[in-house]
Amino acid sequence: MFTGLVTDVGRVTAVDGGERLRRITIASAYDPASIALGASIACGGPCLTAVAVEPHGSGCRFTVDAAAETLARTSVGTWVPGTRVNLERSLRLGDELGGHLVTGHVDGLAEIVAREAVTGQEGDQWAPSDRFVLRAPAALSRFIAEKGSVCLDGTSLTVNGVEGDTFTVLLIPHTLAVTTWGERRVGDRINLEVDLIARYAARLTEAHAALTAR
């Protein structure tokens, strides 16, 4: 389980394998002693398992395996050496839950259809933020609600508005600076995980409707 609060931006250093299984090595500032073999790490959204870890510079390099389902459903299959990836280690009991409950199970890919600068106040100064408009897959759009939460590329964000299958999120300067969002452009496809509560609420509603229809 994760919170969607990015704690490092890693860089892919090696990719091996094919369409059924790919082994990916990521360089990170994490202390290698803090990553146990088998640990879960959210890498750009998907929860992946560390199968190897070694010291590298002032941080580490860790390796994860991505199976066919992950490669088909997420952007992991497009990663190449040099790709930058938002990272978050799994939540521990007692940690602050600053974002929202995120499983690391990506539902599909959303596409950025617009990006526009918005001027907002940061402390005593006015600083530029960016508003992103994204299109969700039709099957997932019903789980996205205004003022609700979504996880996009491993980042917990609040939905500002919804219109049909498109929705908007606002990225403040801090988020743009400490995640990969600063380099995102129109046409990019983003890993989308809908809110866990919204998913189960919809499922319960469907089950109730089916029972009452009998």
Side-chain angles (χ1 to χ4, degrees), residues 2 7 26 28 30 34-36 38-53 60 62-64 85-90 104:
F2 306 91
T7 54
I26 299 172
S28 166
Y30 290 151
S34 68
I35 301 177
S40 295
I41 302 175
C43 303
C47 172
L48 300 175
T49 300
V51 297
V53 59
C60 74
F62 66 90
T63 300
V64 295
V85 181
N86 294 324
L87 301 176
E88 182 189 356
R89 285 175 289 190
S90 58

Side-chain angles (χ1 to χ4, degrees), residues 4 16 28 30-31 47 68 73 75 84 89 93 99 123 135 140 142 157 175 179 183 189 201 207:
D16 297 295
S28 166
Y30 290 151
D31 179 355
C47 172
R73 192 180 287 265
S75 66
R84 286 167 28 92
R89 285 175 289 190
L93 289 176
R135 178 172 289 110
L140 300 177
R142 66 193 181 101
L157 296 170
T175 305
T179 70
E183 59 202 59
R189 303 183 77 197

Side-chain angles (χ1 to χ4, degrees), residues 38-128:
S40 295
I41 302 175
C43 303
C47 172
L48 300 175
T49 300
V51 297
V53 59
E54 63 179 0
H56 176 67
S58 59
C60 74
R61 277 193 300 229
F62 66 90
T63 300
V64 295
D65 285 341
E69 173 74 4
T70 300
L71 296 173
R73 192 180 287 265
T74 75
S75 66
V76 174
T78 68
W79 293 356
V80 296
T83 299
R84 286 167 28 92
V85 181
N86 294 324
L87 301 176
E88 182 189 356
R89 285 175 289 190
S90 58
L91 184 67
R92 293 176 294 184
L93 289 176
D95 284 352
E96 179 180 351
L97 184 59
H100 72 283
L101 289 176
V102 174
T103 64
H105 301 159
V106 172
D107 295 294
L109 291 166
E111 181 184 354
I112 298 174
V113 296
R115 175 179 178 171
E116 58 183 358
V118 180
T119 301
Q121 191 168 12
E122 188 180 73
D124 296 328
Q125 298 181 343
W126 290 89

Side-chain angles (χ1 to χ4, degrees), residues 157-172:
L157 296 170
T158 300
V159 177
N160 294 137
V162 178
E163 185 174 345
D165 62 354
T166 64
F167 64 98
T168 59
V169 293
L170 185 69
L171 278 292
I172 61 173

